[in-house]
Amino acid sequence: MTATPQQLADVLRPVKHVLLDFDGPVCSVFAGLPAPEVARRLREGLFATGEQAPAGAAEETDPLALLRLVSNARPDLAASADAALAALESEAVRVGRPTPGGESVLAACVRFGRAVSVVSNNASAAIDAYLSAHRLSGYVAGVFGRTAGDPSSMKPNPRLLLEPMAAAGTQPAECVFIGDATRDVEAGNAARVPTIGYANKPGKQEKLASAGAVVTVDSMQLPPLLPW
Ligand SMILES: [Mg+2]
């Protein structure tokens, strides 16, 4: 069930540092350049005609899953695959769709003196490009994208959450993570940070809740509910 305003306020009240997933809570990265098209272009750029791609690569339509698959099967390609995907993500965000309420959450955090760090499996360069194009960079204390060439850095690994907490000197109990995937909740659990599940598609609410999200919401239009 979507959190009541009271439940959400209870979760947010002690928070000094908001960790915010990018694809979903801030924008829909692949709304204009669809993920399967990005995966296809990534694959075609990496594997010349006739060259054998790793098992499963031909069918993979999720660009980040494809990056992980290729990097695991062909470590020699990990760096070039990451760079190629980062370029495609940067192209995608130019035609990405802002999430209603996402910008207001960023602005409200800053207005009320809460730090915001973006924590994402996407490439930092693409995130920076989006934030800059939408004049949002000033709201964000830091951008923590996947480590280039190292897909093991991606959530559900908690590393991308631990880095901004170390940079800001904040403890898990002073933080909240807002994400829209079960891997986000798993990363939050591993970092001991409570996760608000953003259920932006039918069926996600149950998945996020059973993964351990402390509350779930079905909209990013939170500012009227912020307790600060
Ligand atoms: Mg996401």
Side-chain angles (χ1 to χ4, degrees), residues 16-17 19 115 117 141 144 162-171 174-175:
K16 295 179 179 168
H17 188 184
L19 310 176
S117 297
F144 297 82
L162 299 175
E163 288 174 4
M165 288 194 285
T170 46
Q171 300 302 312
E174 301 169 323
C175 298

Side-chain angles (χ1 to χ4, degrees), residues 21-25 122 155 179-181 183-184 200 204:
D21 179 32
F22 179 65
D23 191 7
N122 292 118
K155 299 168 287 186
D180 70 323
R183 64 175 171 271
D184 293 321
N200 52 359
K204 267 197 181 181

Side-chain angles (χ1 to χ4, degrees), residues 116-186:
V116 185
S117 297
V118 176
V119 171
S120 170
N121 287 352
N122 292 118
S124 296
I127 300 165
D128 284 332
Y130 179 90
L131 294 175
S132 174
H134 291 261
R135 302 182 185 279
L136 301 174
S137 305
Y139 293 135
V140 172
V143 169
F144 297 82
R146 67 174 183 268
T147 304
D150 180 10
S152 75
S153 63
M154 297 196 293
K155 299 168 287 186
N157 191 317
R159 199 193 309 176
L160 294 175
L161 282 72
L162 299 175
E163 288 174 4
M165 288 194 285
T170 46
Q171 300 302 312
E174 301 169 323
C175 298
V176 74
F177 181 34
I178 306 176
D180 70 323
T182 53
R183 64 175 171 271
D184 293 321
V185 182
E186 290 161 6

Side-chain angles (χ1 to χ4, degrees), residues 35-195:
E37 167 70 8
V38 170
R40 185 186 66 75
R41 286 166 58 176
L42 176 61
R43 194 163 41 236
E44 288 181 2
L46 290 171
F47 302 105
T49 308
E51 188 182 356
Q52 188 70 38
E59 301 80 33
E60 184 54 69
T61 56
D62 174 346
L64 291 165
L66 180 60
L67 174 67
R68 196 188 289 271
L69 187 157
V70 168
S71 301
N72 288 342
R74 291 281 305 272
D76 57 309
L77 291 178
S80 56
D82 196 300
L85 180 54
L88 289 163
E89 290 169 294
S90 297
E91 186 179 338
V93 296
R94 287 201 285 275
V95 289
R97 182 176 63 233
T99 300
E103 180 174 341
S104 320
V105 168
L106 287 170
C109 289
V110 172
R111 186 162 69 246
F112 291 106
R114 268 66 183 182
V116 185
S117 297
V118 176
V119 171
S120 170
N121 287 352
N122 292 118
S124 296
I127 300 165
D128 284 332
Y130 179 90
L131 294 175
S132 174
H134 291 261
R135 302 182 185 279
L136 301 174
S137 305
Y139 293 135
V140 172
V143 169
F144 297 82
R146 67 174 183 268
T147 304
D150 180 10
S152 75
S153 63
M154 297 196 293
K155 299 168 287 186
N157 191 317
R159 199 193 309 176
L160 294 175
L161 282 72
L162 299 175
E163 288 174 4
M165 288 194 285
T170 46
Q171 300 302 312
E174 301 169 323
C175 298
V176 74
F177 181 34
I178 306 176
D180 70 323
T182 53
R183 64 175 171 271
D184 293 321
V185 182
E186 290 161 6
N189 292 344
R192 297 187 297 116
V193 174
T195 301

Side-chain angles (χ1 to χ4, degrees), residues 1-13 196 215-218 221-228:
M1 203 173 78
T2 296
T4 64
Q6 184 63 50
Q7 288 170 325
L8 194 57
D10 289 344
V11 171
L12 290 170
R13 196 168 290 110
I196 297 175
V215 292
T216 61
V217 295
D218 59 9
Q221 288 168 323
L222 308 179
L225 305 176
L226 296 181
W228 304 323

